Amino acid sequence: MRQDNRPYPIRRLRDGLQKAWTKHFLVPGFDSVGPGLDVTNPWDVELWGKGITAGANFHLHASRGNLVRIATWQSQNRNGRVSIGDNVLISPGTQIISSIDITIGSNTMMASGVYISDSDWHDTYDRTAEHDKYAPVRIGDNAWLGVRAIVGKGVTIGDNSIIGAGSVVTRDVPPNTIAAGNPARVVRELDPEHPRRRRADLFEDPEKLARDIDQLQRYLLRGNTYWRWLRSIFAPTRED
């Protein structure tokens, strides 16, 4: 389809279904999760294991064929943890898998296909065991990870830093920098004094934000009829 042909009530019905699915099937998968949880295609999100927490306004977006997976694994006397701050955005296809501890700071954004792991999962010579091939991962506040970025064990990414698309991060990235490449290296420094807008700014007035989104949906879907929507499903044309 070239556009959304659903009438506004159908869109609202789908939004309600997503919220109900999220509350019934996903929320119990968190040890704790703050208010404002927003999940797109929650049936394409997998939470596995104990120790997963998230703060307020966690936006988790999956899409058909792009599963989002957040998982922790128990090994001997150790259980992985994933701690996610406030106002974090995770995009389709992202996987976050923990053997010991992954911390994601508030206002961080992840583009599609990001992979974060705090373990190699197998020893170099003993492919049947993890041994000591694990170390905590720390991602600072207001970081931005580009499409298909990979973050490996023991890495710390500083506040406000940006990781370029397709980068493989194997060493620490300082705050207020842009890192890119394989392995990722700092390619530019950012001005720490420059004014910034963070995702937290979007949620200063949650009720106004909800009204604005609703008005935008009404505008974008104006003129859509049930007949056009059904026809676009069974007999789409270039107008759809």
Side-chain angles (χ1 to χ4, degrees):
M1 296 298 170
R2 297 185 176 188
Q3 59 187 343
D4 190 347
N5 293 299
R6 292 172 293 182
Y8 173 78
I10 296 297
R11 173 62 185 261
R12 293 288 293 173
L13 181 63
R14 178 182 170 87
D15 290 346
L17 175 61
Q18 290 188 147
K19 290 179 181 179
W21 184 287
T22 296
K23 182 178 180 180
H24 186 74
F25 292 106
L26 289 187
V27 168
F30 292 93
D31 279 19
S32 65
V33 61
L37 175 65
D38 185 273
V39 184
T40 303
N41 282 27
W43 34 84
D44 289 310
V45 174
E46 178 182 289
L47 301 178
W48 174 268
K50 299 178 181 179
I52 301 172
T53 63
N57 305 314
F58 181 31
H59 282 204
L60 181 55
H61 300 316
S63 63
R64 186 169 57 185
N66 283 285
L67 176 77
V68 170
R69 189 167 194 248
I70 303 175
T72 64
W73 296 92
Q74 186 173 4
S75 177
Q76 299 175 351
N77 297 323
R78 187 183 72 255
N79 198 98
R81 288 191 57 82
V82 176
S83 303
I84 301 169
D86 296 333
N87 315 311
V88 170
L89 169 68
I90 291 180
S91 299
T94 291
Q95 295 190 60
I96 302 171
I97 307 176
S98 174
S99 173
I100 179 170
D101 189 28
I102 296 174
T103 301
I104 299 167
S106 295
N107 302 301
T108 285
M109 303 188 304
M110 300 181 193
S112 298
V114 168
Y115 179 84
I116 303 171
S117 175
D118 57 15
S119 175
D120 290 343
W121 302 106
H122 302 283
D123 182 70
T124 303
Y125 295 102
D126 181 357
R127 303 300 170 84
T128 68
E130 182 185 25
H131 293 311
D132 60 350
K133 302 294 185 178
Y134 57 87
V137 171
R138 300 284 184 267
I139 298 176
D141 293 345
N142 201 44
W144 176 14
L145 279 60
V147 172
R148 299 193 183 281
I150 297 174
V151 180
K153 70 179 190 298
V155 164
T156 295
I157 296 174
D159 294 350
N160 305 314
S161 288
I162 299 171
I163 306 302
S167 298
V168 179
V169 187
T170 59
R171 296 182 180 180
D172 292 354
V173 175
N176 299 298
T177 60
I178 299 176
N182 182 7
R185 303 178 186 278
V186 173
V187 296
R188 178 183 166 189
E189 295 186 359
L190 301 174
D191 180 2
E193 303 301 324
H194 195 285
R196 286 185 170 89
R197 293 199 67 200
R198 296 172 171 83
R199 285 185 55 79
D201 297 326
L202 293 172
F203 306 106
E204 289 181 343
D205 188 343
E207 292 183 0
K208 181 179 182 301
L209 177 63
R211 290 195 303 270
D212 290 346
I213 292 174
D214 183 68
Q215 289 176 1
L216 178 61
Q217 287 184 356
R218 288 177 183 271
Y219 174 76
L220 293 175
L221 302 178
R222 70 193 186 285
N224 286 2
T225 65
Y226 288 95
W227 165 247
R228 178 179 177 180
W229 172 56
L230 292 172
R231 181 191 52 72
S232 70
I233 293 174
F234 297 103
T237 70
R238 289 181 180 175
E239 300 301 319
D240 300 319

